[in-house]
Amino acid sequence: MFMSLKPYGNLSESVVSQIIQALNTGNLKPGDKLPPEREMCEMFSVSRTVIRDALKTLAGLGVVTIRHGMGAFINEVADKPGDISRLASLLQITWGTMEELFQVRGILESKAVFWCTQNATDEGIAELEDIVRSAENSENDSKLALFDAEFHLKICEAAGNRVLVRLMINVLDLLGEVREKVLMIPGRQRLSVRDHQEIVEAIRERNPELACQRMINHLKDIENAVSAALTERGENNQNVPGCPNYKRLPLR
């Protein structure tokens, strides 16, 4: 069910991804108990620290419940990610739905980064910096979308609101293939890394207003790139009122 990991990258996130994938495929079901830490270390070829970090993340996402002395158990709501994925696959992402999606992102992520600036621990900020550094140094363009999603999720996690994390997972899932294609546009990935660096700098300075504004600017740039990508694919619906220069809803 699980595969051993290569000794690089964010190992705990890779463990989380495999467990969530097992939920989506039905190999894990609500109520199932995960293998003991030692067995998971052998399955994934990682240390106990990596497994514990992954379990902590899964618990924060509401996927598992850790019962001391008994182990980690899949929660009854753990099948929701699969339901969300099936919903996303049925939703045709055109410019109309993309406009609405970015309105929601603006509201969620401007508030998330505001709270992150106020609530993030030094360790949480260091993790954000590590994600940005990994993206900057990555030689594998196919991983850039993962680093991008990880960055935005980590901000929600550092903000200290588990519901916000779950909502962001849904939003990122809806963006799906389009986000990956946008990041493959020559130069776009470096622009995103630069934006992420500036956002983290504002978080490190504990300046919520600046962090919020930089996040809004970042999302606006991404939205414009998505518009261009959809136009190239012939999916930018010019019949949508105000498209492409539509009026955005207030972000805050």
mmCIF file of all heavy atoms in Angstrom, residues 151-182:
data_model
loop_
_atom_site.group_PDB
_atom_site.id
_atom_site.type_symbol
_atom_site.label_atom_id
_atom_site.label_comp_id
_atom_site.label_asym_id
_atom_site.label_seq_id
_atom_site.Cartn_x
_atom_site.Cartn_y
_atom_site.Cartn_z
ATOM 1 N N PHE A 151 3.135 25.582 0.071
ATOM 2 C CA PHE A 151 3.339 26.918 0.639
ATOM 3 C C PHE A 151 2.015 27.509 1.125
ATOM 4 O O PHE A 151 1.903 27.997 2.253
ATOM 5 C CB PHE A 151 3.973 27.838 -0.410
ATOM 6 C CG PHE A 151 4.146 29.260 0.038
ATOM 7 C CD1 PHE A 151 5.216 29.626 0.848
ATOM 8 C CD2 PHE A 151 3.247 30.241 -0.350
ATOM 9 C CE1 PHE A 151 5.381 30.942 1.265
ATOM 10 C CE2 PHE A 151 3.406 31.561 0.056
ATOM 11 C CZ PHE A 151 4.473 31.913 0.868
ATOM 12 N N HIS A 152 1.009 27.476 0.273
ATOM 13 C CA HIS A 152 -0.276 28.085 0.632
ATOM 14 C C HIS A 152 -0.966 27.315 1.759
ATOM 15 O O HIS A 152 -1.615 27.920 2.617
ATOM 16 C CB HIS A 152 -1.166 28.173 -0.609
ATOM 17 C CG HIS A 152 -0.720 29.215 -1.584
ATOM 18 N ND1 HIS A 152 -1.064 30.544 -1.468
ATOM 19 C CD2 HIS A 152 0.082 29.127 -2.680
ATOM 20 C CE1 HIS A 152 -0.516 31.228 -2.449
ATOM 21 N NE2 HIS A 152 0.182 30.395 -3.205
ATOM 22 N N LEU A 153 -0.825 25.997 1.766
ATOM 23 C CA LEU A 153 -1.393 25.206 2.861
ATOM 24 C C LEU A 153 -0.672 25.467 4.173
ATOM 25 O O LEU A 153 -1.299 25.547 5.237
ATOM 26 C CB LEU A 153 -1.326 23.714 2.526
ATOM 27 C CG LEU A 153 -2.374 23.185 1.545
ATOM 28 C CD1 LEU A 153 -2.067 21.737 1.187
ATOM 29 C CD2 LEU A 153 -3.774 23.290 2.136
ATOM 30 N N LYS A 154 0.649 25.605 4.109
ATOM 31 C CA LYS A 154 1.427 25.833 5.323
ATOM 32 C C LYS A 154 1.065 27.178 5.966
ATOM 33 O O LYS A 154 1.058 27.304 7.196
ATOM 34 C CB LYS A 154 2.914 25.786 5.011
ATOM 35 C CG LYS A 154 3.823 25.957 6.221
ATOM 36 C CD LYS A 154 3.616 24.851 7.235
ATOM 37 C CE LYS A 154 4.094 23.513 6.728
ATOM 38 N NZ LYS A 154 4.010 22.451 7.767
ATOM 39 N N ILE A 155 0.755 28.187 5.158
ATOM 40 C CA ILE A 155 0.322 29.468 5.701
ATOM 41 C C ILE A 155 -0.967 29.278 6.501
ATOM 42 O O ILE A 155 -1.110 29.809 7.607
ATOM 43 C CB ILE A 155 0.119 30.502 4.577
ATOM 44 C CG1 ILE A 155 1.483 31.008 4.085
ATOM 45 C CG2 ILE A 155 -0.734 31.686 5.058
ATOM 46 C CD1 ILE A 155 1.407 32.013 2.962
ATOM 47 N N CYS A 156 -1.902 28.524 5.947
ATOM 48 C CA CYS A 156 -3.159 28.275 6.660
ATOM 49 C C CYS A 156 -2.905 27.499 7.947
ATOM 50 O O CYS A 156 -3.514 27.784 8.986
ATOM 51 C CB CYS A 156 -4.119 27.505 5.757
ATOM 52 S SG CYS A 156 -4.698 28.440 4.322
ATOM 53 N N GLU A 157 -2.006 26.521 7.873
ATOM 54 C CA GLU A 157 -1.683 25.735 9.064
ATOM 55 C C GLU A 157 -1.041 26.618 10.137
ATOM 56 O O GLU A 157 -1.403 26.544 11.315
ATOM 57 C CB GLU A 157 -0.741 24.599 8.690
ATOM 58 C CG GLU A 157 -0.340 23.709 9.857
ATOM 59 C CD GLU A 157 0.639 22.633 9.449
ATOM 60 O OE1 GLU A 157 0.538 22.161 8.300
ATOM 61 O OE2 GLU A 157 1.502 22.258 10.264
ATOM 62 N N ALA A 158 -0.094 27.469 9.726
ATOM 63 C CA ALA A 158 0.588 28.347 10.678
ATOM 64 C C ALA A 158 -0.349 29.406 11.238
ATOM 65 O O ALA A 158 -0.108 29.953 12.318
ATOM 66 C CB ALA A 158 1.788 29.012 10.010
ATOM 67 N N ALA A 159 -1.434 29.686 10.512
ATOM 68 C CA ALA A 159 -2.416 30.648 11.004
ATOM 69 C C ALA A 159 -3.167 30.110 12.216
ATOM 70 O O ALA A 159 -3.765 30.864 12.976
ATOM 71 C CB ALA A 159 -3.399 31.018 9.897
ATOM 72 N N GLY A 160 -3.142 28.778 12.383
ATOM 73 C CA GLY A 160 -3.748 28.169 13.555
ATOM 74 C C GLY A 160 -5.222 27.862 13.431
ATOM 75 O O GLY A 160 -5.925 27.759 14.426
ATOM 76 N N ASN A 161 -5.706 27.690 12.164
ATOM 77 C CA ASN A 161 -7.127 27.422 11.958
ATOM 78 C C ASN A 161 -7.275 26.187 11.082
ATOM 79 O O ASN A 161 -7.006 26.234 9.878
ATOM 80 C CB ASN A 161 -7.800 28.640 11.302
ATOM 81 C CG ASN A 161 -9.314 28.524 11.260
ATOM 82 O OD1 ASN A 161 -9.853 27.503 10.842
ATOM 83 N ND2 ASN A 161 -9.998 29.569 11.689
ATOM 84 N N ARG A 162 -7.703 25.065 11.676
ATOM 85 C CA ARG A 162 -7.789 23.803 10.945
ATOM 86 C C ARG A 162 -8.879 23.828 9.880
ATOM 87 O O ARG A 162 -8.742 23.199 8.824
ATOM 88 C CB ARG A 162 -8.022 22.647 11.912
ATOM 89 C CG ARG A 162 -6.808 22.308 12.766
ATOM 90 C CD ARG A 162 -7.090 21.181 13.730
ATOM 91 N NE ARG A 162 -8.077 21.566 14.732
ATOM 92 C CZ ARG A 162 -8.557 20.746 15.662
ATOM 93 N NH1 ARG A 162 -8.155 19.491 15.700
ATOM 94 N NH2 ARG A 162 -9.426 21.173 16.545
ATOM 95 N N VAL A 163 -9.956 24.549 10.132
ATOM 96 C CA VAL A 163 -11.022 24.652 9.135
ATOM 97 C C VAL A 163 -10.495 25.355 7.886
ATOM 98 O O VAL A 163 -10.793 24.968 6.748
ATOM 99 C CB VAL A 163 -12.237 25.403 9.706
ATOM 100 C CG1 VAL A 163 -13.280 25.646 8.616
ATOM 101 C CG2 VAL A 163 -12.854 24.626 10.857
ATOM 102 N N LEU A 164 -9.678 26.380 8.096
ATOM 103 C CA LEU A 164 -9.084 27.110 6.984
ATOM 104 C C LEU A 164 -8.216 26.191 6.131
ATOM 105 O O LEU A 164 -8.223 26.274 4.899
ATOM 106 C CB LEU A 164 -8.244 28.275 7.529
ATOM 107 C CG LEU A 164 -7.822 29.367 6.554
ATOM 108 C CD1 LEU A 164 -9.031 30.022 5.918
ATOM 109 C CD2 LEU A 164 -6.991 30.413 7.291
ATOM 110 N N VAL A 165 -7.488 25.289 6.782
ATOM 111 C CA VAL A 165 -6.653 24.330 6.046
ATOM 112 C C VAL A 165 -7.520 23.444 5.163
ATOM 113 O O VAL A 165 -7.223 23.226 3.986
ATOM 114 C CB VAL A 165 -5.826 23.469 7.020
ATOM 115 C CG1 VAL A 165 -5.085 22.366 6.265
ATOM 116 C CG2 VAL A 165 -4.826 24.331 7.786
ATOM 117 N N ARG A 166 -8.604 22.932 5.721
ATOM 118 C CA ARG A 166 -9.481 22.053 4.940
ATOM 119 C C ARG A 166 -10.092 22.790 3.749
ATOM 120 O O ARG A 166 -10.207 22.243 2.647
ATOM 121 C CB ARG A 166 -10.591 21.490 5.839
ATOM 122 C CG ARG A 166 -10.086 20.647 6.999
ATOM 123 C CD ARG A 166 -9.404 19.367 6.535
ATOM 124 N NE ARG A 166 -10.347 18.430 5.926
ATOM 125 C CZ ARG A 166 -11.030 17.523 6.606
ATOM 126 N NH1 ARG A 166 -10.882 17.423 7.924
ATOM 127 N NH2 ARG A 166 -11.860 16.711 5.996
ATOM 128 N N LEU A 167 -10.481 24.040 3.961
ATOM 129 C CA LEU A 167 -11.045 24.824 2.866
ATOM 130 C C LEU A 167 -10.017 25.059 1.767
ATOM 131 O O LEU A 167 -10.329 24.989 0.570
ATOM 132 C CB LEU A 167 -11.566 26.167 3.393
ATOM 133 C CG LEU A 167 -12.816 26.115 4.280
ATOM 134 C CD1 LEU A 167 -13.117 27.492 4.854
ATOM 135 C CD2 LEU A 167 -14.022 25.592 3.497
ATOM 136 N N MET A 168 -8.765 25.323 2.168
ATOM 137 C CA MET A 168 -7.721 25.556 1.176
ATOM 138 C C MET A 168 -7.425 24.298 0.373
ATOM 139 O O MET A 168 -7.139 24.373 -0.824
ATOM 140 C CB MET A 168 -6.448 26.052 1.862
ATOM 141 C CG MET A 168 -6.358 27.563 1.995
ATOM 142 S SD MET A 168 -6.583 28.433 0.414
ATOM 143 C CE MET A 168 -5.276 27.708 -0.568
ATOM 144 N N ILE A 169 -7.485 23.135 1.007
ATOM 145 C CA ILE A 169 -7.290 21.877 0.279
ATOM 146 C C ILE A 169 -8.331 21.775 -0.832
ATOM 147 O O ILE A 169 -8.029 21.404 -1.969
ATOM 148 C CB ILE A 169 -7.387 20.671 1.228
ATOM 149 C CG1 ILE A 169 -6.160 20.630 2.154
ATOM 150 C CG2 ILE A 169 -7.494 19.358 0.441
ATOM 151 C CD1 ILE A 169 -6.241 19.566 3.222
ATOM 152 N N ASN A 170 -9.572 22.115 -0.515
ATOM 153 C CA ASN A 170 -10.645 22.059 -1.506
ATOM 154 C C ASN A 170 -10.403 23.042 -2.643
ATOM 155 O O ASN A 170 -10.587 22.718 -3.828
ATOM 156 C CB ASN A 170 -11.991 22.372 -0.841
ATOM 157 C CG ASN A 170 -12.380 21.347 0.206
ATOM 158 O OD1 ASN A 170 -11.735 20.315 0.347
ATOM 159 N ND2 ASN A 170 -13.414 21.638 0.971
ATOM 160 N N VAL A 171 -9.989 24.258 -2.307
ATOM 161 C CA VAL A 171 -9.761 25.286 -3.318
ATOM 162 C C VAL A 171 -8.606 24.887 -4.236
ATOM 163 O O VAL A 171 -8.707 24.993 -5.465
ATOM 164 C CB VAL A 171 -9.467 26.650 -2.652
ATOM 165 C CG1 VAL A 171 -8.957 27.665 -3.674
ATOM 166 C CG2 VAL A 171 -10.724 27.197 -1.980
ATOM 167 N N LEU A 172 -7.514 24.418 -3.657
ATOM 168 C CA LEU A 172 -6.364 24.006 -4.463
ATOM 169 C C LEU A 172 -6.711 22.821 -5.349
ATOM 170 O O LEU A 172 -6.219 22.698 -6.475
ATOM 171 C CB LEU A 172 -5.181 23.677 -3.552
ATOM 172 C CG LEU A 172 -4.558 24.874 -2.823
ATOM 173 C CD1 LEU A 172 -3.532 24.401 -1.807
ATOM 174 C CD2 LEU A 172 -3.938 25.849 -3.805
ATOM 175 N N ASP A 173 -7.572 21.939 -4.846
ATOM 176 C CA ASP A 173 -7.994 20.793 -5.635
ATOM 177 C C ASP A 173 -8.803 21.252 -6.846
ATOM 178 O O ASP A 173 -8.666 20.717 -7.938
ATOM 179 C CB ASP A 173 -8.810 19.838 -4.770
ATOM 180 C CG ASP A 173 -9.131 18.542 -5.502
ATOM 181 O OD1 ASP A 173 -8.176 17.871 -5.943
ATOM 182 O OD2 ASP A 173 -10.315 18.217 -5.651
ATOM 183 N N LEU A 174 -9.650 22.254 -6.667
ATOM 184 C CA LEU A 174 -10.446 22.778 -7.775
ATOM 185 C C LEU A 174 -9.564 23.432 -8.836
ATOM 186 O O LEU A 174 -9.862 23.366 -10.026
ATOM 187 C CB LEU A 174 -11.483 23.777 -7.255
ATOM 188 C CG LEU A 174 -12.656 23.186 -6.459
ATOM 189 C CD1 LEU A 174 -13.521 24.294 -5.882
ATOM 190 C CD2 LEU A 174 -13.503 22.273 -7.335
ATOM 191 N N LEU A 175 -8.473 24.059 -8.406
ATOM 192 C CA LEU A 175 -7.553 24.666 -9.370
ATOM 193 C C LEU A 175 -6.835 23.604 -10.195
ATOM 194 O O LEU A 175 -6.607 23.763 -11.380
ATOM 195 C CB LEU A 175 -6.523 25.539 -8.644
ATOM 196 C CG LEU A 175 -6.989 26.917 -8.227
ATOM 197 C CD1 LEU A 175 -5.961 27.565 -7.322
ATOM 198 C CD2 LEU A 175 -7.239 27.795 -9.437
ATOM 199 N N GLY A 176 -6.433 22.533 -9.492
ATOM 200 C CA GLY A 176 -5.876 21.341 -10.119
ATOM 201 C C GLY A 176 -4.961 21.556 -11.307
ATOM 202 O O GLY A 176 -3.914 22.189 -11.227
ATOM 203 N N GLU A 177 -5.367 21.014 -12.432
ATOM 204 C CA GLU A 177 -4.549 20.992 -13.644
ATOM 205 C C GLU A 177 -4.197 22.384 -14.127
ATOM 206 O O GLU A 177 -3.091 22.625 -14.627
ATOM 207 C CB GLU A 177 -5.301 20.237 -14.750
ATOM 208 C CG GLU A 177 -4.575 20.206 -16.087
ATOM 209 C CD GLU A 177 -5.433 19.580 -17.166
ATOM 210 O OE1 GLU A 177 -6.527 19.085 -16.840
ATOM 211 O OE2 GLU A 177 -5.003 19.609 -18.335
ATOM 212 N N VAL A 178 -5.123 23.336 -13.965
ATOM 213 C CA VAL A 178 -4.866 24.693 -14.453
ATOM 214 C C VAL A 178 -3.676 25.301 -13.740
ATOM 215 O O VAL A 178 -2.815 25.938 -14.355
ATOM 216 C CB VAL A 178 -6.116 25.578 -14.269
ATOM 217 C CG1 VAL A 178 -5.802 27.024 -14.632
ATOM 218 C CG2 VAL A 178 -7.263 25.048 -15.124
ATOM 219 N N ARG A 179 -3.599 25.097 -12.399
ATOM 220 C CA ARG A 179 -2.482 25.649 -11.633
ATOM 221 C C ARG A 179 -1.155 25.088 -12.122
ATOM 222 O O ARG A 179 -0.171 25.808 -12.272
ATOM 223 C CB ARG A 179 -2.651 25.353 -10.143
ATOM 224 C CG ARG A 179 -1.578 26.027 -9.276
ATOM 225 C CD ARG A 179 -1.750 25.742 -7.794
ATOM 226 N NE ARG A 179 -1.406 24.367 -7.460
ATOM 227 C CZ ARG A 179 -2.293 23.432 -7.150
ATOM 228 N NH1 ARG A 179 -3.573 23.709 -7.138
ATOM 229 N NH2 ARG A 179 -1.896 22.213 -6.851
ATOM 230 N N GLU A 180 -1.127 23.787 -12.398
ATOM 231 C CA GLU A 180 0.103 23.160 -12.867
ATOM 232 C C GLU A 180 0.515 23.720 -14.217
ATOM 233 O O GLU A 180 1.699 23.964 -14.471
ATOM 234 C CB GLU A 180 -0.077 21.645 -12.948
ATOM 235 C CG GLU A 180 -0.283 20.988 -11.587
ATOM 236 C CD GLU A 180 -0.443 19.484 -11.695
ATOM 237 O OE1 GLU A 180 -0.281 18.966 -12.816
ATOM 238 O OE2 GLU A 180 -0.726 18.861 -10.668
ATOM 239 N N LYS A 181 -0.443 23.937 -15.109
ATOM 240 C CA LYS A 181 -0.119 24.473 -16.425
ATOM 241 C C LYS A 181 0.397 25.903 -16.326
ATOM 242 O O LYS A 181 1.314 26.301 -17.056
ATOM 243 C CB LYS A 181 -1.349 24.403 -17.345
ATOM 244 C CG LYS A 181 -1.703 22.994 -17.800
ATOM 245 C CD LYS A 181 -2.854 23.010 -18.759
ATOM 246 C CE LYS A 181 -3.168 21.595 -19.235
ATOM 247 N NZ LYS A 181 -2.068 21.018 -20.019
ATOM 248 N N VAL A 182 -0.191 26.689 -15.424
ATOM 249 C CA VAL A 182 0.263 28.071 -15.247
ATOM 250 C C VAL A 182 1.709 28.094 -14.773
ATOM 251 O O VAL A 182 2.525 28.889 -15.245
ATOM 252 C CB VAL A 182 -0.640 28.817 -14.248
ATOM 253 C CG1 VAL A 182 -0.001 30.138 -13.832
ATOM 254 C CG2 VAL A 182 -2.004 29.079 -14.874
#
